[in-house]
Amino acid sequence: MAAALKDSTAIVGIGQTPFARQLPSSEKTLACQAILAALDDAGIPPSQVDAFASYTMEETDEVEVAKAIGAGDVTFFSKVGYGGGGSCATVAHLAAAITTGQATVGVAWRSRKRGSGPRPWRNTAVQLPTPAQWTRPYGLLRPVDEIAMLARRYMHEYGATRDHFFNVALACRNRANQNPAAMMHGRPLSRETYMSSRWISEPLCLFDNCLETDGALACVVTSAERARDCRDAPVLIHSVAQGLPAQHHGMVNYWNEDPLSGPAWTAARHLWKTADFGPQDVEVAQIYDAFTPLVLLSLEGYGFCARGEGAAFTEDGALETGGRLPLNTAGGGLSEAYVHGFNLINEGVRQLRGRSTAQVPGATTCLVTAGEGVPTSALLLRS
């Protein structure tokens, strides 16, 4: 099946709402706005949509969305778990459905009001699912607390410093300052500001953490053959993967032999297996950045450098435009918006269309990843 998916489908439309700390519209309204914008971008009427894919954490559902946008009969729908780990998998599910003839036009979306909504961990009624019994009683209450544990271990084992985390935060902020749609547009970040900011969970400071955002994004997937008739040049879905390693324990990886070899490694092995190119051929990457250390782990997991070399990879402007691997070119979750990683998919499409606000000249290949530290997913896109 993986080989059959190669270049058989394409992303033909993308859409998004504005991003802000607080937006007045409901999550359903935001979802419909983003989906209709993506369909308009593709030149496909809503009545032709027959497939939907979203996240299990999505508060809007396909029944209400289908009615609201005016979809026709729907023959495929799915939801992917694990928050940020599900972003790329929504596209992968649609690609599989279309390739196997279960659908013809699919829409994936994420709508979220995290900026103005409650924090998930404040719901004490669901505080102790089985994995959390090994973390929350010991003070790891939030995702940042769990990732801080991995970050400290990485620093201890491989000599990474806060300057390496800063390199990630700076690259994302620099790209956001080129992107008028980014929440951090017009707000430069200096090393002094980064180093003097407050701790959120040591060793992670304010700028090691993603934004809190209200907003929605969507994309439209169809067959590569049909894509040729859409409004814009298609962005082919070259390879897809999901990854859940053996004995995985979300975020902290307690039971793995090496807690720093997370789901990215599992997804990457499958992703590259059927691809016609490798990490050395990726011209631009959109790597999930809920927290800066996740980028270092993902650089290693997806094969851009060897084990323990992720920190050094970020040096000398490697993640900036013109560097070894231009990264998160709209600003990412750290500086554009945090909508569980879906903005990384849309930015990958813009890069391969040649329409990014921080365009990598002539880019024809792009890696997009979902959240590291949780069961994850990834896409290889090409023009």
Side-chain angles (χ1 to χ4, degrees):
M1 172 57 73
L5 290 177
K6 183 164 59 179
D7 298 336
S8 67
T9 59
I11 298 175
V12 295
I14 54 174
Q16 66 188 47
T17 69
F19 304 127
R21 185 68 182 266
Q22 186 167 6
L23 294 173
S25 299
S26 68
E27 288 185 349
K28 176 183 172 182
T29 297
L30 293 172
C32 292
Q33 289 173 348
I35 290 168
L36 290 173
L39 288 166
D40 182 66
D41 186 49
I44 294 175
S47 60
Q48 294 184 11
V49 174
D50 55 8
F52 290 98
S54 62
Y55 302 57
T56 55
M57 295 182 72
E58 178 65 39
E59 295 290 335
T60 60
D61 67 71
E62 57 275 349
V63 176
E64 293 303 311
V65 168
K67 287 192 294 187
I69 69 168
D73 290 344
V74 177
T75 56
F76 177 87
F77 40 94
S78 72
K79 290 183 179 291
V80 183
Y82 305 102
S87 58
C88 295
T90 63
V91 176
H93 285 201
L94 293 177
I98 291 166
T99 300
T100 56
Q102 297 180 73
T104 58
V105 176
V107 168
W109 84 96
R110 181 69 170 113
S111 177
R112 199 174 189 216
K113 296 193 72 173
R114 170 60 187 274
S116 60
R119 305 298 174 265
W121 49 85
R122 293 181 61 187
N123 184 353
T124 56
V126 295
Q127 276 286 29
L128 289 177
T130 299
Q133 294 179 28
W134 301 96
T135 56
R136 289 176 184 160
Y138 305 99
L140 304 183
L141 302 179
R142 307 161 297 172
V144 65
D145 301 318
E146 296 168 319
I147 298 304
M149 293 270 287
L150 294 181
R152 181 60 75 187
R153 179 162 182 162
Y154 189 89
M155 295 169 83
H156 173 76
E157 290 194 15
Y158 298 113
T161 68
R162 291 188 66 209
D163 274 305
H164 294 114
F165 300 156
F166 169 65
N167 291 339
V168 175
L170 180 64
C172 291
R173 183 61 63 88
N174 286 344
R175 301 295 78 74
N177 279 303
Q178 297 175 260
N179 175 14
M183 290 178 68
M184 293 293 107
H185 180 65
R187 299 177 64 177
L189 177 65
S190 68
R191 184 180 182 278
E192 180 182 4
T193 299
Y194 173 90
M195 291 295 177
S196 62
S197 67
R198 70 182 187 274
W199 296 118
I200 302 300
S201 188
E202 194 174 351
L204 304 182
C205 70
L206 175 65
F207 299 107
D208 292 310
N209 289 254
C210 61
L211 300 171
E212 295 181 324
T213 306
D214 285 6
L217 303 103
C219 71
V220 180
V221 179
T222 190
S223 69
E225 181 179 4
R226 178 169 182 169
R228 290 193 288 267
D229 297 326
C230 291
R231 282 185 173 160
D232 214 325
V235 171
L236 295 172
I237 301 168
H238 183 68
S239 182
V240 302
Q242 290 182 264
L244 169 58
Q247 297 298 310
H248 176 68
H249 185 146
M251 301 292 205
V252 291
N253 287 349
Y254 277 161
W255 316 127
N256 296 64
E257 288 187 13
D258 180 2
L260 298 177
S261 294
W265 293 75
T266 302
R269 284 191 291 270
H270 185 68
L271 186 74
W272 298 118
K273 186 168 58 178
T274 59
D276 291 344
F277 55 90
Q280 70 279 2
D281 303 308
V282 172
E283 295 162 326
V284 60
Q286 316 296 332
I287 295 181
Y288 191 87
D289 59 338
F291 308 101
T292 55
L294 297 183
V295 172
L296 277 58
L297 298 177
S298 294
L299 288 170
E300 296 174 10
Y302 286 98
F304 294 102
C305 55
R307 192 74 187 85
E309 295 181 359
F313 187 98
T314 70
E315 296 171 355
D316 302 319
L319 309 182
E320 304 281 353
T321 302
R324 293 167 65 187
L325 185 67
L327 185 87
N328 297 5
T329 46
L334 289 165
S335 285
E336 183 191 27
Y338 184 67
V339 194
H340 268 150
F342 211 103
N343 51 320
L344 301 176
I345 299 171
N346 283 17
E347 174 61 12
V349 172
R350 284 191 293 266
Q351 277 287 344
L352 299 188
R353 286 177 168 181
R355 307 238 178 90
S356 171
T357 53
Q359 183 63 42
V360 174
T364 59
T365 57
C366 180
L367 169 69
V368 185
T369 75
E372 170 61 336
V374 295
T376 194
S377 53
L379 298 171
L380 281 178
L381 304 177
R382 74 173 185 88
S383 58

